[in-house]
Amino acid sequence: MSFKPVIILAETLPLGLKANFAAVLGMSLGQLRPDLVGAATPTGDGAEIAGITTVALPILAAPADELPGIYAAAEALPIRLTYLEAAFKARDYADYGARVAAAPLADHAPQAILLGGPRKAVDRLCGRLPLLR
């Protein structure tokens, strides 16, 4: 299987939040799939540079009101992550957990999602979306 991850951000988010949400989702992907992070690489003078991703990770844009539907449609994918509005509003991780637990998934507003799975399945869900600009 050719694994393809993508990040999809609400297109109306401010630039700084887009960068932050993409970074958070990328960290979560690295935790779930450490095999996607390459080995450390030495420089010519012997300094060691930590490994980075071994797969492309496109960042796409979508209207915010489409994110819940894309997330729901991706239920069968092996990796399906979301950055909820609750995370942005929370003071800390405990507060985030309480906010998430207080309402069903349908009542939460995803600001960003990360999907990962077979290339064809991921492309079917988001192949029409443009790259983030």
Side-chain angles (χ1 to χ4, degrees), residues 57-85:
L57 182 52
I59 301 180
L60 310 176
D65 63 350
E66 290 185 18
L67 290 178
I70 296 168
Y71 185 76
E75 186 173 21
L77 290 179
I79 293 185
R80 183 178 72 137
L81 307 172
T82 184
Y83 189 102
L84 300 173
E85 186 175 32

Side-chain angles (χ1 to χ4, degrees), residues 27-56:
M27 285 181 64
S28 297
L29 176 63
Q31 179 192 29
L32 291 171
R33 290 287 307 268
D35 59 302
L36 298 178
V37 179
T41 304
T43 63
D45 59 356
E48 190 168 276
I49 305 299
I52 62 171
T53 181
T54 60
V55 296

Side-chain angles (χ1 to χ4, degrees), residues 6-9 16-32 57 59 79 81-88 93 96 111-114:
V6 299
I7 292 175
I8 307 168
L9 302 171
L17 292 181
K18 287 176 180 174
N20 179 264
F21 295 176
V24 168
L25 290 172
M27 285 181 64
S28 297
L29 176 63
Q31 179 192 29
L32 291 171
L57 182 52
I59 301 180
I79 293 185
L81 307 172
T82 184
Y83 189 102
L84 300 173
E85 186 175 32
F88 179 68
Y93 201 79
Y96 165 70
Q111 304 296 297
I113 57 179
L114 185 149

